[in-house]
Amino acid sequence: MLEKNFNHQEKEKQIYQKWEQMELFKAHPESNKPPFCIVIPPPNVTGVLHMGHALDDSLQDVLCRYKRMQGFDVLWQPGTDHAGIATQIVVEKMLAKEGISRHDLGREKFVERVWEWKNQSGGQIINQLKALGASCDWSRERFTMDEGLSAAVRKIFVKMYKDGLIYKDKRLVNWDSKLQTAVSDLEVIQKEAIGKMWYMNYPVEGTTNQFITVATTRPETFFGDTAVAVSDKDERYKDLIGKNVILPIINRAIPIIADEHADPEKGTGAVKITPAHDFNDFEVGKRHHLEMINILDTYGRLNENVPEEFQGMDPLTARPLVLAKIKELGLYVKEEDNPMTIPYGERTGVIIEPYLTDQWFVDTREIGRKALEAVENGSVKMYPENMKNTYYEWMRNLQPWCISRQLWWGHQVPVWYGPDGKIFCEETEEEAYAKAQEFYGKDISLTRDTDVLDTWFSSGLWAFSTLGWPEETIYLKKYYPTSVLITGFDIIFFWVARMMMMSLYAMKEIPFKEVCFHGLVRDEKGQKMSKSKNNGIDPLVMIEKYGADALRMALLVQAGTGRDVLIGDSRVETYRNFATKIWNAAKFTQLNNCVVDPAFNPKSVQLPLNKWLISKVAKTADSISKSIEEYQFNDASNTVYHFAWGTFCDWYLELTKPILNGSDTRAADETRKTTAWALDQILKMMHPFMPFITEEIWANTAERSEMLMATSWPKYMDCVDEVAEKQIDFLIGMISSIRSVRVEMNVPPSIKAQLLIKDAQENEADLIRSNQILLSQLARLESIDFVNESPKGSVQKIFGTITLALPLAGLIDVAAEKERLMKEREKLASYLKGLDAKLSNEAFVSKAPANIIADQRQKQAETRSSIEKIDEAYNRLADL
RNA sequence: GGGUGUGUAGCUCAGGUGGUUAGAGCGUUACGUUGACAUCGUAAAGGUCACAAGUUCGAGUCUUGUCACACCCACCA
């Protein structure tokens, strides 16, 4: 017997353990069931579960549980990401509390500390995923820096290097001076700000009063200027091309060059060129073979290439001083406000400087083209489809991918240098050493490159590295390419695009057949969750308070493809109430001895009411299937919600009460069995969404040979009975329509249900007549005029007639009823007016399709008669 | 500057291929229930479907334009 309430705090853990003990999450590559595989977007190993994970993983869990019930051999491949930058920052902060920096420890000791921290906190997020109910195959848990995955990273790197796809280059990169590392374009966040534009004069060499005015937002960088560019079509400067200008303060001569980069329309038409500190200038510098003067150190401070008085300064400190000097020299022209964007580090929040260093790059042209084609030609499908446009846009403008990071936590680049700087790129130090020996013909010592790889390099391999690549495992064979990737659209470039490129390169095959993007989770007001707003909602708190089922459902009912999801207490509470409702429905079936009969055959039932329910079960299960297959999780979960609450609890259980308590024992017996059967089907349909409570009810409502999650999805389309469905739907429509009267009359549900007891008649006319009698009793009428065929029309008639009856029965306030009738009449009259106008419109009558016209005519007649009835009722009221 | 969305009840959202009194949940109000319901049930109020023009017998739905908001990308001497 079910307890009074479902104690989610206690039961969810027990149920989860049971699933694990019975190994229900395990994949079975040896089985001949068809494969279904999802790789989890790996959360940061040191992270905690946030709402984004809760949504992402709930969606995946729904799919996995559903597919298992559909007879698939499901592998939900779990694991975590080493998250280079994020993790290093966390550990450095911890060290800072102890008063030490990573440099005090040295690289080796620091990395040890990170491993310690990983081992200590890495299990946390996994346990949190379990609390959510995630049915991952935990026996296969991987980590992007475990031995196998590290080997995969080295292998790919070496292969790409040898294929010429990875190369080292001295280029401008985005430099994070706090982390002391390069970051990729995607890791730079542009923020808008109102800056200033300063104009200053550069004297032309050999003249005393000739100047070129340049405009700049960063005057302090002029120490690194190596040219001034003008357009060769610009009359103002045409003659100066080839001459030099003298940089103020440092008195260095730099050439005036002609370059397309200079736009006569913009600024003064003359651009100072600082190749080492600006991406455009860098390109100009390369075109003209200009010197590249780096004026910053790795901490972003002015270095020895500027006059001593400015050395060691931060650019923003130096700026006013430089400007003051220029003013002193009489070369300052003016300043004006200038809206601009300033680049900040995604993780550190410091200003990102373009910085000239040696870095490793992936040449993305070829692999990017293949990744683009795979989506263009439909090999990989995207949901929602418009995400393809975003993907295309980025893929068509791919830049070289800077994969090296000057961090300590990550995959160290498998590159060794000879004494002369010769590169040996091999998977192991031994191999590199062997190659070096061979090359030099003698024993030499090698030094290893200190860079580590961008985290996304290893996550780019995730789809196949987790399955065992480069080993030819049965997992790789059976589950690759994976079925679908479910992730947020915020990492489409970071991760999805990189996985596409890396997988197509390494495997010569797509990593997944479909990608399903979901939106962001926001707070109840639709605002982005952020630490600064302090509006974050902790999924674990929600689980503790309302249960994992309620949280999942609250997320799922909104999870259409691509849409944002709002979450908050009231939403989760709603679905906790839903869970309680189902719990109580199950309790109700037990109290009424609705026991599962293993021999029950849904095709053999006799009562239309039972046939109706079985039909609805079949159709609902089918509709949920379709929605899930299309990743319409919101439709699927809403369907099961409304079916369980509305169709099953509100209607079926209410309507069967008099049958269960009635004298027809055969009908009662059939109804009990049908109820028990239907509850089982509902539990199955609900299980992917609310796995815990359904499993608990399942276990407590009968002797079960297997757990709910191991059962199969209900497929009963062959039990659909359209006739019974139509009958009962019709009656429900009628009953619904008299609800307003019922309130006043206080009709108990059992009378409502009696209407339906009589529905054993299969013929609609009989059905109507029998209910006519009941309706007339209900309304204490001697007769009831009820002739219409169409359900909607009938509803209107009944409404009018019962209204007529009520005052006679002395059940309601006459004045109030009169007012209500007038209102109703007004509504109908205005509707009728519209219909009359339309039907007398020649254009409508001649052009509209016949069925529409017929329909309108009928409506017109019905409405007219309804108005008459109301008038009649009103008159009778007046007589009282 | 380029792109992608969104705008329907107080709030959050549904509303295939145009078809007629525009729906749900939450919230509000009223009444009822505590014999499945840490609640539930029944109902009421609440909407010129952002705005404008167009196509059409008929537009929330299609076209164009305008406005507002959100996000993404790029540029910014």
Side-chain angles (χ1 to χ4, degrees), chain A residues 62-177:
Chain A
V62 168
L63 269 180
C64 287
R65 287 177 186 270
Y66 166 77
K67 287 288 181 178
R68 279 190 202 100
M69 292 175 87
Q70 284 281 0
F72 284 82
D73 168 26
V74 172
L75 169 59
W76 186 6
Q77 172 64 50
T80 50
D81 193 279
H82 68 280
I85 293 180
T87 306
Q88 178 158 330
I89 288 175
V90 170
V91 176
E92 281 196 74
K93 274 189 186 152
M94 284 168 47
L95 289 175
K97 280 189 189 147
E98 300 169 29
I100 43 179
S101 81
R102 69 180 156 114
H103 300 283
D104 298 334
L105 284 179
R107 181 166 187 151
E108 210 170 303
K109 281 259 158 52
F110 177 78
V111 170
E112 260 173 43
R113 283 293 292 261
V114 185
W115 274 107
E116 258 172 50
W117 161 243
K118 182 258 166 190
N119 291 334
Q120 169 199 329
S121 74
Q124 191 182 199
I125 196 156
I126 298 301
N127 286 327
Q128 294 169 339
L129 281 170
K130 290 181 178 179
L132 186 69
S135 59
C136 302
D137 184 347
W138 298 111
S139 67
R140 299 190 44 76
E141 189 186 332
R142 302 303 297 266
F143 174 51
T144 47
M145 271 178 55
D146 68 25
E147 233 167 85
L149 267 57
S150 300
V153 166
R154 287 194 298 270
K155 195 173 178 82
I156 292 282
F157 187 97
V158 172
K159 187 166 151 54
M160 291 182 91
Y161 177 80
K162 291 184 174 169
D163 285 349
L165 290 173
I166 285 182
Y167 58 93
K168 197 175 188 179
D169 195 9
K170 197 178 196 70
R171 287 176 48 123
L172 274 191
V173 293
N174 302 295
W175 186 261
D176 186 314
S177 57

Side-chain angles (χ1 to χ4, degrees), chain A residues 8 58 185 191 230 247 371 489 533 576 682 813 843 869:
Chain A
H8 63 264
S58 293
D185 298 344
K191 288 190 189 163
V230 298
L247 288 177
F489 57 73
K533 279 189 218 140
R576 192 271 322 269
I682 289 171
D813 176 1
K869 294 278 178 198

Side-chain angles (χ1 to χ4, degrees), chain A residues 625-652:
Chain A
S625 279
K626 283 184 178 131
S627 298
I628 294 180
E629 306 277 356
E630 289 165 12
Y631 306 112
Q632 300 290 348
F633 297 97
N634 53 342
D635 288 348
S637 47
N638 274 308
T639 303
V640 80
Y641 175 89
H642 285 115
F643 180 72
W645 198 316
T647 309
F648 187 66
C649 293
D650 287 352
W651 287 107
Y652 183 77

Side-chain angles (χ1 to χ4, degrees), chain A residues 26 261 304 812:
Chain A
K26 273 191 105 113
H261 174 56
E304 68 284 357
I812 55 157

Side-chain angles (χ1 to χ4, degrees), chain A residues 68-70 684 698 706-713:
Chain A
R68 279 190 202 100
M69 292 175 87
Q70 284 281 0
K684 290 180 183 183
W698 177 261
E706 54 189 355
M707 293 191 80
L708 179 61
M709 80 163 280
T711 60
S712 50
W713 188 259

Side-chain angles (χ1 to χ4, degrees), chain A residues 202-205 210-212 227-228 240 243-247 252-256:
Chain A
Y202 287 175
V204 177
E205 193 179 33
Q210 206 177 1
F211 304 97
I212 278 191
V228 169
L240 293 172
K243 293 187 176 167
N244 285 339
V245 292
I246 305 292
L247 288 177
R252 181 154 52 79
I254 57 170
I256 299 166

